[in-house]
Amino acid sequence: MGGWRISPLLVLALIAFLSLQIGASDPLFYESFDETFEGRWIVSDRSDYNGIWKHSKSEGHEDYGLLVSEKARKYAIVKELDEHINLKDGTIILQFETRHQNGLECGGAYLKYLRPQGAGWAPKEFSNESPYSIMFGPDKCGSTNKVHFILKHKNPKTGEFVEHHLKYPPSVPSDKLSHVYTAILKPDNELLILIDGEQKKKANFLSADDFEPALIPPKIIPDPDDKKPEDWDERAKIPDHDAVKPDDWDEDAPMEIEDEDAVKPEGWLDDEPEEIDDPDAAKPEDWDDEEDGEWEAPKIDNPKCDAAPGCGEWKRPTKRNPAYKGKWHAPMIDNPNYKGIWKPQQISNPDYFELDKPEFEPVAAIGIEIWTMQDGILFDNILVASDEKVAESYRDKTWKLKYNSEKEKQKAEDAAAGLGDGLSSFQKSVFGVLYKVADIPFLAAYKMKIMDAIEKGEKQPNLTIGVLVSIVIVFLTIIFKILFGGKKPVVPTNPVPESKTSEAAETDLPESSSAQEENEKEDAPVSRPRRSRRET
């Protein structure tokens, strides 16, 4: 009876194929911190890095991580790799988890992927001066609120390493939950930034729109040696030197004068004050005239004034002075010597070079070098892989369960505290959208104002509508500036008398109403100040 006979060569081929498949799925580097970091990761012995690292459980989990244990400290720790990781060929995924267990108001939580160091370098010397290939991760303090991606790239002409920063990076999640950050470097020069597995940013390493400065310098640049001629006149309009102030122009005439035609309304109570002592007020029993001074009853509105057109001394209201013209200025005329706005001539950039793809330096070590005002920052599950599915599987296994558990716990706590103490699902959705709005490149100049408003709203959930109004104000401000900004009004030939105006306040996001109320309460005097009624 015959049977299948398998060639030994086929068996070897199958084994080799399976080995390749398994090897392709293995991470290039992985650190779970399930075991203590001591002996494997090296803490910098530089004197300014005095923060204490701890091997600690993530709050509410049995999972361990690397913990920033003290506030207002600098921290530095590094792990040398057994083999350098090549970033030039194929896809590379950089991924790690952080959890800001005490929130994050001011501090970094990013990783540095170090390139090979100079001869004689020791891990204990690790510092902010240690050269790296890539810096990636969250950072939030003051005007900074971003997930950094910085590439240190060697200029092929000068040999110098230049920092290239990702433009318009995503914002840092503002909660105390575990989050996983992923950077995917693809062989077609594409860069993807994911937060919790969701794509937040897509960029191209060779695009000037995505990195600052651009990896490829511009072909044409302004000539640095070209200087503006001394006689170059950029003024489109100049005062008419032949103009003469009219003889009847009175610069000293007041803007407003008393209205002589005004008549005191009938029933005006001249002898009644606008406010009177509160008849129901009583001097406190513990009031000491010697220590506290003479006691005075607080003031209330005079009830007699409510039915009258007014109380107290009547004064004529003021009106605009028809003779007011303000300070005279000579009218503006076209400048006969106007040559336009001067610009240096454009020349070919001597430092220009072409690049098909970045010259990534290999990763020889992974380090954490941060300064933070807060403790409780936990690092976990640092991964470098060449397969996106591997990174996704690690997110599912190491992060997702923790995150879901934390979300459920937070939801329960919010429910127990009542809706007023937490964000409703609607409000959470609103703030989620606003965070995405803050990341729009078009709004880059206003990002910090929007972020400040969002943070105030999250701390005081009853202000959601106010925050939305604030964002609308920002949008309207931008549109107004686009339509009308940058154009100064032309002064007419015959100056028009100035009208009474009030100084325009710069558009900003309003302070929360609750904060304003608290300030008013703190600043309010014991006795209510007198309020002047509108004169008629």
Side-chain angles (χ1 to χ4, degrees):
M1 190 173 175
W4 288 96
R5 298 185 64 187
I6 301 176
S7 168
L9 290 176
L10 180 58
V11 173
L12 291 174
L14 287 171
I15 293 173
F17 175 77
L18 290 173
S19 298
L20 287 173
Q21 289 299 105
I22 294 171
S25 300
D26 288 341
L28 303 175
F29 172 81
Y30 178 60
E31 173 60 79
S32 66
F33 294 109
D34 288 340
E35 303 295 333
T36 180
F37 63 88
E38 294 178 358
R40 299 183 301 108
W41 289 69
I42 306 301
V43 178
S44 175
D45 63 2
R46 296 280 291 264
S47 59
D48 46 343
Y49 295 101
N50 53 4
I52 304 299
W53 295 99
K54 289 186 178 180
H55 183 236
S56 177
K57 287 181 181 179
S58 180
E59 186 178 313
H61 305 289
E62 292 300 316
D63 186 41
Y64 281 86
L66 182 64
L67 180 69
V68 169
S69 65
E70 296 178 303
K71 298 179 179 180
R73 294 284 190 271
K74 286 185 176 182
Y75 292 80
I77 191 170
V78 67
K79 165 69 174 177
E80 285 193 296
L81 305 184
D82 296 333
E83 293 184 7
H84 293 181
I85 297 175
N86 182 8
L87 302 180
K88 291 184 179 181
D89 302 322
T91 297
I92 291 292
I93 300 97
L94 310 176
Q95 182 170 287
F96 68 99
E97 296 174 25
T98 63
R99 185 182 182 190
H100 307 137
Q101 297 181 139
N102 299 327
L104 183 64
E105 293 296 330
C106 186
Y110 43 79
L111 267 58
K112 289 185 175 181
Y113 300 85
L114 277 61
R115 67 176 188 259
Q117 308 296 294
W121 181 83
K124 282 188 173 291
E125 298 173 1
F126 177 48
S127 70
N128 65 331
E129 299 172 358
S130 302
Y132 61 86
S133 293
I134 291 172
M135 183 175 124
F136 172 54
D139 188 15
K140 181 181 178 183
C141 193
S143 62
T144 298
N145 186 329
K146 66 180 71 173
V147 178
H148 287 287
F149 187 93
I150 305 173
L151 169 64
K152 273 202 173 181
H153 188 260
K154 187 175 183 180
N155 185 306
K157 279 206 165 185
T158 64
E160 295 181 355
F161 283 90
V162 179
E163 280 189 5
H164 300 274
H165 294 245
L166 178 66
K167 288 184 178 180
Y168 315 119
S171 301
V172 181
S174 60
D175 55 42
K176 301 178 182 180
L177 309 179
S178 298
H179 293 284
V180 57
Y181 298 88
T182 308
I184 304 175
L185 292 64
K186 295 192 172 183
D188 62 356
N189 298 323
E190 188 176 75
L191 169 67
L192 301 178
I193 303 295
L194 284 61
I195 301 178
D196 298 344
E198 180 182 348
Q199 181 178 308
K200 298 292 186 180
K201 178 73 177 180
K202 182 179 180 179
N204 188 293
F205 281 108
L206 303 187
S207 172
D209 295 331
D210 292 332
F211 279 87
E212 176 64 36
L215 270 73
I216 301 178
K219 282 187 177 181
I220 304 297
I221 61 171
D223 184 356
D225 298 323
D226 192 13
K227 306 298 181 185
K228 182 171 72 173
E230 294 182 1
D231 61 347
W232 191 282
D233 197 336
E234 294 182 326
R235 298 172 301 164
K237 298 281 185 179
I238 59 172
D240 183 358
H241 297 295
D242 296 328
V244 178
K245 182 173 72 172
D247 292 336
D248 61 347
W249 193 288
D250 185 359
E251 294 185 330
D252 298 324
M255 183 182 295
E256 292 190 340
I257 58 174
E258 195 175 80
D259 186 359
E260 297 293 340
D261 297 328
V263 178
K264 182 170 67 173
E266 293 186 11
W268 189 280
L269 305 178
D270 297 84
D271 298 329
E272 288 291 341
E274 289 186 356
E275 293 183 335
I276 61 172
D277 292 344
D278 185 355
D280 296 329
K283 180 178 178 181
E285 294 181 0
D286 59 349
W287 187 278
D288 189 326
D289 289 339
E290 293 184 1
E291 293 186 4
D292 302 326
E294 183 180 354
W295 182 81
E296 295 181 359
K299 299 290 184 180
I300 62 170
D301 290 336
N302 187 343
K304 294 181 179 179
C305 298
D306 291 340
C311 290
E313 181 184 0
W314 180 81
K315 294 181 180 180
R316 283 191 175 87
T318 59
K319 66 177 184 178
R320 178 175 174 77
N321 182 5
Y324 172 76
K325 294 184 178 180
K327 186 172 179 60
W328 182 84
H329 297 279
M332 304 296 284
I333 61 173
D334 292 336
N335 181 4
N337 299 319
Y338 176 66
K339 295 183 178 181
I341 303 299
W342 182 85
K343 294 181 180 179
Q345 64 178 341
Q346 301 290 300
I347 62 171
S348 297
N349 184 358
D351 296 326
Y352 174 76
F353 58 83
E354 295 185 352
L355 201 64
D356 293 329
K357 59 189 306 182
E359 288 294 325
F360 294 109
E361 295 293 313
V363 175
I366 297 177
I368 305 172
E369 185 272 318
I370 58 174
W371 175 88
T372 177
M373 290 299 293
Q374 298 184 244
D375 57 358
I377 302 175
L378 192 79
F379 293 87
D380 201 3
N381 297 308
I382 300 173
L383 173 74
V384 182
S386 57
D387 188 337
E388 292 183 53
K389 291 185 178 180
V390 171
E392 183 180 358
S393 69
Y394 272 81
R395 288 196 299 270
D396 290 341
K397 290 187 297 183
T398 64
W399 165 78
K400 200 166 189 176
L401 293 176
K402 288 187 294 186
Y403 178 77
N404 289 340
S405 171
E406 292 160 10
K407 287 284 286 185
E408 288 301 317
K409 182 179 179 182
Q410 182 186 65
K411 188 184 298 185
E413 290 175 350
D414 290 346
L419 186 59
D421 296 329
L423 295 178
S424 68
S425 58
F426 164 74
Q427 290 168 318
K428 290 180 181 178
S429 300
V430 169
F431 289 121
V433 171
L434 292 181
Y435 272 114
K436 292 182 179 179
V437 169
D439 289 330
I440 297 175
F442 180 68
L443 300 174
Y446 300 86
K447 180 171 182 177
M448 292 317 302
K449 290 183 179 180
I450 297 174
M451 294 300 297
D452 287 344
I454 295 172
E455 289 175 6
K456 286 179 180 178
E458 286 184 322
K459 292 176 181 177
Q460 301 177 62
N462 58 316
L463 304 180
T464 304
I465 300 301
V467 172
L468 287 173
V469 172
S470 301
I471 305 301
V472 171
I473 290 174
V474 171
F475 272 110
L476 293 177
T477 302
I478 297 170
I479 293 171
F480 184 83
K481 287 186 177 181
I482 291 174
L483 294 177
F484 307 105
K487 295 182 180 180
K488 295 182 180 179
V490 179
V491 179
T493 304
N494 298 315
V496 178
E498 299 176 13
S499 61
K500 184 178 181 181
T501 60
S502 60
E503 186 176 357
E506 184 178 328
T507 303
D508 203 344
L509 294 178
E511 185 180 13
S512 66
S513 59
S514 296
Q516 289 177 337
E517 290 171 4
E518 288 300 321
N519 291 338
E520 290 172 2
K521 289 177 182 177
E522 292 175 4
D523 297 339
V526 174
S527 297
R528 187 172 50 193
R530 290 181 178 273
R531 296 176 296 161
S532 298
R533 288 178 178 265
R534 183 183 177 191
E535 294 170 340
T536 57

